[in-house]
Amino acid sequence: MPRNTKRKYPFVMWTLLSFTCFRIYVGLHLSSKSYTTDNVETTSKDFYTEFVWPRKERTPINKLKQQVANKPKLKPLLSNLRSVDESNLPYKCGVIFFYHIACTGGSSINHWFGQQVKRNGPETSYWTKWGRKEKMEANFIDIMSNNRTQNIAPNEWRFVHAHGMSYFPNASEAYLYQWREEVESQGCAFVVTTMLRDAIGHTISQTKGMIKPNLTLDEFMSHLEPENNNQKGVFVTQLDYLLYNMGPRNEYNATKEEKVRRAVELLQRHFDVLLLSDYGRFADIIHKITGWKPLKIKPANVFGGDLNYSYAELQKIKDLTEANGDVAFIDAVRHLYTPGYLDYLL
């Protein structure tokens, strides 16, 4: 009996047409007050598939992008930081968005969240999607927008782990506004968090990555040389990871001062929980927010080898980390987010 192929044509045509809706993925220039899409080609890597919002009350992403581009610069003041209203804790439901910066203890935190999900039953869930390919972000954003922020149950908690190539905060900032709007419209909390550490110690910790490919320190650090902006390196500093994830370093050739300003601005606008190597306090805060039973964060993915450097090599690590803006960035974070940091001056 011959197959009836006529009925399949409408479905095939509908499927093909459904993939013709695209979005222009425009990086927000660090020093720009507005942006334009006139020069973006549809065949470039910056042209990704767009999702369709099924609910009318959601703010369209392109409108949000324009609003973000036109927002005034934030001054680094305590009054501009996001905060958690402890009088309303624990929140009954929500999404915890953990932006995992490599070599900051993120593996320990990620493992801890996985344990908490198992301990707290079917109303908690864990999701991650990351890798080394540039198309990863488009997939991550699509799933976040159409699944992870949708239809949250009254007592449900969802944990999202954002890591390598899954999300680029500087260029895709508007989605953080979109996801928060969506989650909070359901009466739930959207909690964005990350962990940071000492800047030079972080770079030294990253140098363990030069062992397996047998690189020299000069080769390992070469992308941080001032003339090598817009290059991908073997590793990524905390400042660059917060801005560009694992993409090219400083592709707009911004000054280190502008990079620090922009990174602190992102933290002020979106991050609810931010700590410097304080895992005990991190766990306590998340416990208060969610109402989960206390569980200690245990070390994971710990390097057990030796890292030996000459004075000249350590000086190079220090100089390039400072020149990239990371030392100034962590110092700014300490001033804003660490209570009592300057008490010794009183």
Side-chain angles (χ1 to χ4, degrees), residues 76-94:
L77 301 173
L78 286 173
S79 59
N80 286 332
L81 303 185
R82 293 196 60 83
S83 61
V84 175
D85 184 0
E86 295 192 26
S87 65
N88 290 327
L89 299 182
Y91 297 126
K92 61 179 182 178
C93 56

Side-chain angles (χ1 to χ4, degrees), residues 44-317:
S44 72
K45 66 180 181 181
D46 294 329
F47 200 70
Y48 289 123
T49 302
E50 171 64 298
F51 56 86
V52 179
W53 289 105
R55 282 168 49 177
K56 293 182 180 180
E57 63 266 26
R58 295 183 187 133
T59 305
I61 193 63
N62 287 333
K63 181 179 179 180
L64 268 180
K65 285 181 180 180
Q66 189 63 58
Q67 291 173 357
V68 170
N70 292 330
K71 280 182 178 291
K73 294 180 179 180
L74 280 178
K75 293 182 179 180
L77 301 173
L78 286 173
S79 59
N80 286 332
L81 303 185
R82 293 196 60 83
S83 61
V84 175
D85 184 0
E86 295 192 26
S87 65
N88 290 327
L89 299 182
Y91 297 126
K92 61 179 182 178
C93 56
V95 174
I96 298 176
F97 184 94
F98 175 55
Y99 188 71
H100 177 179
I101 297 175
C103 284
T104 60
S107 294
S108 301
I109 294 173
N110 185 40
H111 180 69
W112 175 79
F113 271 118
Q115 289 180 306
Q116 285 288 30
V117 167
K118 291 179 181 178
R119 283 160 51 96
N120 286 277
E123 291 188 326
T124 60
S125 60
Y126 174 101
W127 177 74
T128 187
K129 190 174 185 63
W130 65 278
R132 308 291 179 183
K133 297 181 179 180
E134 292 181 2
K135 67 178 182 179
M136 187 58 63
E137 190 195 30
N139 294 331
F140 180 90
I141 287 174
D142 179 63
I143 295 173
M144 265 297 290
S145 302
N146 294 310
N147 182 280
R148 301 309 296 171
T149 58
Q150 304 291 310
N151 304 315
I152 303 172
N155 296 303
E156 182 183 4
W157 278 98
R158 298 175 181 178
F159 171 69
V160 174
H161 173 237
H163 196 33
M165 302 297 281
S166 61
Y167 181 70
F168 294 68
N170 176 58
S172 300
E173 180 188 5
Y175 287 100
L176 286 175
Y177 284 108
Q178 186 78 272
W179 297 332
R180 186 179 295 277
E181 176 185 309
E182 176 63 32
V183 173
E184 291 181 350
S185 71
Q186 299 171 66
C188 299
F190 186 69
V191 182
V192 182
T193 182
T194 193
M195 182 68 73
L196 298 170
R197 61 180 290 186
D198 172 75
I200 296 173
H202 178 264
T203 303
I204 292 174
S205 176
Q206 289 271 38
T207 60
K208 65 180 181 287
M210 62 188 261
I211 297 174
K212 187 175 181 179
N214 196 28
L215 299 175
T216 66
L217 185 66
D218 287 343
E219 292 170 333
F220 187 75
M221 302 285 293
S222 65
H223 72 291
L224 291 184
E225 296 288 351
E227 67 274 13
N228 292 338
N229 65 293
N230 200 23
Q231 287 190 11
K232 286 187 179 181
V234 181
F235 78 100
V236 185
T237 70
Q238 293 174 103
L239 175 58
D240 290 343
Y241 211 112
L242 181 62
L243 293 173
Y244 321 117
N245 197 289
M246 297 176 68
R249 181 186 76 88
N250 197 9
E251 59 184 322
Y252 307 124
N253 198 22
T255 64
K256 72 174 185 179
E257 291 80 12
E258 176 60 16
K259 286 172 61 180
V260 172
R261 186 208 65 79
R262 173 60 171 150
V264 171
E265 181 175 71
L266 286 169
L267 295 178
Q268 289 178 290
R269 286 177 173 176
H270 304 288
F271 285 74
D272 305 273
V273 181
L274 170 64
L275 293 166
L276 285 161
S277 300
D278 193 341
Y279 306 99
R281 186 162 171 247
F282 180 91
D284 289 342
I285 293 172
I286 298 300
H287 291 150
K288 290 179 181 178
I289 289 173
T290 59
W292 293 343
K293 294 180 180 179
L295 177 67
K296 184 178 179 181
I297 296 177
K298 296 181 180 179
N301 194 25
V302 178
F303 177 68
D306 295 324
L307 298 173
N308 300 306
Y309 301 108
S310 66
Y311 175 81
E313 288 174 327
L314 288 174
Q315 189 65 44
K316 180 166 189 171
I317 290 173

